Amino acid sequence: MASAIGLVSAPGLAQQTPPVTAPMVQPVPPVAPVQIVPLPTISAAQATQLAQLLGDAGFAHGLRHDGTAKPRIDGNDAVVRAALDYARAVHSGRLDISDFQQDWGLRPAAYDPVPAFADAVKRDRIAAWFRSLPPPYAGYDGLQKGLAVYRKIEANGGWATLPAGPDMGVGASGPRVAALRKRLAVEDSEVAAGGDKFDASLKEAVVRAQRRYGLNPTGLVSTGTLRALNVPAADRVRQIMANMERWRWLPAELPAKRIQVNIAAAVLTVFEGDAPIASMKAVTGRPGNETPMLQSRIHSIVLNPPWNVPAGIAAKELFPKGAAYLARNNYKIIGTGAGRRIQQQPGPKSALGLYKFDFDNPYAVYLHDTPAQAKFASFDRLDSHGCVRLEKPGPLAQLLLRNDPNWQPEQIEEALGKGKTLRVQLQEQDKVQVYLLYWTAYASANGQMNFRGDPYGWDKTLAAKIERRSAITAVAAR
């Protein structure tokens, strides 16, 4: 199965506890009183230790961009307040619940740092408590190290903007090539910063940069490569800050078996045994039709699914094309008047293809097949209305149904051949957690930072919210 889908390593993963529906009629159990742990009294030595630990911690973990704006801490009570505020921020996120956008469907679990802090004070293990606060993920650690590198680059002046002009490739020379060499050398120690010739070694350096930025690795410097290289170092710092914050929205433990979609990179990855075993290209929402971040669980697969066209798409894109177009493409109008809607019937022209993977969510999005395969050959695959189209849905369906004797590959193919819509419920043990995430910065195994575009502008928005919330809490803690 893994080889049928394709192997990759994955930059990130996420989870949120699914909602639980309570029975309609049931006696209400008595509510246990909430145990309030009083703030501990710390010694002078512990206050000094905490103040030292807090000095640059928020800066090192991307809770603020400006390294000169260190928090002012006066007195033991202020140290305790600052420590608890930092603990909440670095453990479960800097944002307040009111800061979340509607399509940021991941939410950190509630976290009260007081009990663990009080225990650390009592046992005089404050440093160990402090170290335990950040997310326990290698992905987060890689971003923190990358943050330090790009902060240093920013402090040293960043890099100059490369001027626009003709595409640059092997054989080119002149001032623009010299500027390109100097720019690449900032992030790539293998590049010789001097010289104005575009030779084979410079092409290799361009290919490495294009791979780091998720671009087509042609070795030719054209508009897209220039655009990625010209993102200011300060913006890369903020991009890392935003991705570190998203890691803080995740719980400490994730299911070993899960499916993950990186929305920004348009890639789906399958995990088993807490390791990536397979991946495929995806098509995710275009800007304006963003695919939301969320966590849910795939519970069923629909074979030969019809497409119930959302009202907005029907009104803007389909009804104006007329009855002949709708009939030609197997659309059926259901109802009359203001309540009429459009359903595309199952078949080779169906926008959902042969497979639809369903999971509960408030956004009405899902994973699905598509008859339009051309987009999978592109490096820019943000082109859907918000749902996630899959390059290889058949192998994924076989993987999810492999333990069901009634739905082996032969039975699946037989059902598809009949052309009738059929919902296949996954067995309870095969229902798999699915995560739609937005990862735009991550570190490779060798520590090299990789970046993707910020198509929805969520990185800039989130980084600004982190800074604003940090400023508010800094004032409140005094």
Side-chain angles (χ1 to χ4, degrees):
M1 272 307 305
S3 60
I5 302 179
L7 295 178
V8 295
S9 59
L13 34 123
Q15 181 187 25
Q16 182 189 26
T17 304
V20 177
T21 304
M24 293 298 293
V25 180
Q26 184 155 332
V28 178
V31 178
V34 177
Q35 183 179 6
I36 299 176
V37 179
L39 294 182
T41 301
I42 60 175
S43 68
Q46 289 175 328
T48 300
Q49 181 187 25
L50 267 177
Q52 292 173 343
L53 290 170
L54 289 167
D56 289 315
F59 183 67
H61 284 275
L63 298 178
R64 62 179 192 275
H65 183 247
D66 186 357
T68 63
K70 295 184 179 181
R72 189 181 70 196
I73 304 175
D74 299 319
N76 285 19
D77 288 349
V79 170
V80 171
R81 289 196 298 272
L84 295 176
D85 173 69
Y86 168 80
R88 293 186 190 96
V90 80
H91 184 275
S92 56
R94 174 77 286 178
L95 299 195
D96 182 79
I97 193 66
S98 63
D99 294 321
F100 282 80
Q101 296 184 180
Q102 183 180 1
D103 44 13
W104 296 357
L106 295 173
R107 297 290 189 276
Y111 170 67
D112 180 4
V114 174
F117 176 63
D119 181 67
V121 170
K122 180 180 178 180
R123 297 191 295 134
D124 202 20
R125 293 181 54 82
I126 289 177
W129 170 77
F130 208 83
R131 289 192 300 270
S132 73
L133 293 172
Y137 302 116
Y140 182 90
D141 295 341
L143 285 176
Q144 187 184 3
K145 293 173 182 175
L147 179 65
V149 171
Y150 279 79
R151 284 197 191 282
K152 186 175 181 180
I153 292 173
E154 181 188 7
N156 290 336
W159 44 70
T161 300
L162 297 175
D167 292 353
M168 289 183 282
V170 173
S173 62
R176 290 181 70 234
V177 175
L180 173 65
R181 280 190 171 276
K182 188 174 180 180
R183 165 65 185 89
L184 292 173
V186 177
E187 293 181 289
D188 189 342
S189 61
E190 296 183 37
V191 179
D196 66 353
K197 307 293 185 184
F198 199 123
D199 55 17
S201 65
L202 185 59
K203 178 180 179 179
E204 292 175 1
V206 169
V207 167
R208 290 195 297 272
Q210 289 169 331
R211 293 190 188 281
R212 290 197 305 273
Y213 291 118
L215 304 172
N216 191 4
T218 61
L220 184 70
V221 179
S222 54
T223 304
T225 302
L226 277 179
R227 187 184 304 116
L229 292 172
N230 282 338
V231 172
D235 284 2
R236 293 302 186 196
V237 168
R238 293 186 178 93
Q239 194 170 3
I240 296 172
M241 289 172 57
N243 281 268
M244 291 176 74
E245 175 72 2
R246 294 186 193 109
W247 279 103
R248 299 182 196 113
W249 300 347
L250 314 183
E253 294 185 13
L254 298 167
K257 180 181 178 181
R258 59 188 178 274
I259 290 174
Q260 167 189 316
V261 175
N262 185 344
I263 300 165
V267 173
L268 177 144
T269 305
V270 180
F271 289 82
E272 286 195 0
D274 207 33
I277 65 162
S279 77
M280 68 180 72
K281 295 175 183 176
V283 174
T284 51
R286 65 179 71 95
N289 297 113
E290 290 83 357
T291 297
M293 289 185 282
L294 61 85
Q295 176 272 329
S296 187
R297 188 170 70 150
I298 297 176
H299 53 70
S300 58
I301 302 171
V302 182
L303 305 180
N304 295 314
W307 181 32
N308 294 303
V309 182
I313 298 175
K316 294 179 182 178
E317 301 181 23
L318 294 179
F319 277 125
K321 294 183 177 180
Y325 172 88
L326 296 177
R328 191 165 60 248
N329 288 277
N330 211 19
Y331 288 103
K332 179 181 178 182
I333 299 176
I334 301 173
T336 58
R340 67 177 182 162
R341 61 187 179 89
I342 295 178
Q343 183 186 76
Q344 189 179 34
Q345 301 304 294
K349 294 183 179 180
S350 171
L352 303 189
L354 301 178
Y355 303 89
K356 176 173 176 260
F357 300 81
D358 271 344
F359 47 89
D360 297 334
N361 68 91
Y363 306 97
V365 297
Y366 40 83
L367 314 180
H368 67 89
D369 184 17
T370 175
Q373 295 291 304
K375 198 64 180 176
F376 293 118
S378 173
F379 275 77
D380 177 12
R381 297 192 299 277
L382 279 75
D383 196 45
S384 79
H385 288 95
C387 289
V388 180
R389 304 175 197 161
L390 303 181
E391 180 188 25
K392 300 175 182 178
L396 180 61
Q398 291 179 24
L399 179 64
L400 297 183
L401 293 169
R402 63 185 172 181
N403 296 320
D404 190 335
N406 296 317
W407 288 104
Q408 294 304 294
E410 296 79 9
Q411 287 93 335
I412 295 173
E413 289 301 318
E414 181 182 355
L416 291 173
K418 293 179 179 178
K420 294 184 178 180
T421 300
L422 183 64
R423 179 179 296 276
V424 181
Q425 294 288 340
L426 297 181
Q427 297 185 100
E428 190 62 32
Q429 68 271 20
D430 292 327
K431 293 179 180 178
V432 62
Q433 298 290 330
V434 60
Y435 307 92
L436 308 187
L437 310 169
Y438 192 77
W439 298 121
T440 61
Y442 62 93
S444 298
N446 63 0
Q448 176 68 60
M449 283 301 304
N450 294 260
F451 296 99
R452 297 296 180 264
D454 179 19
Y456 300 165
W458 286 355
D459 286 343
K460 291 182 179 179
T461 299
L462 179 52
K465 288 176 180 286
I466 293 168
E467 292 260 62
R468 185 162 55 249
R469 187 59 59 181
S470 290
I472 293 171
T473 54
V475 171
R478 293 176 183 173

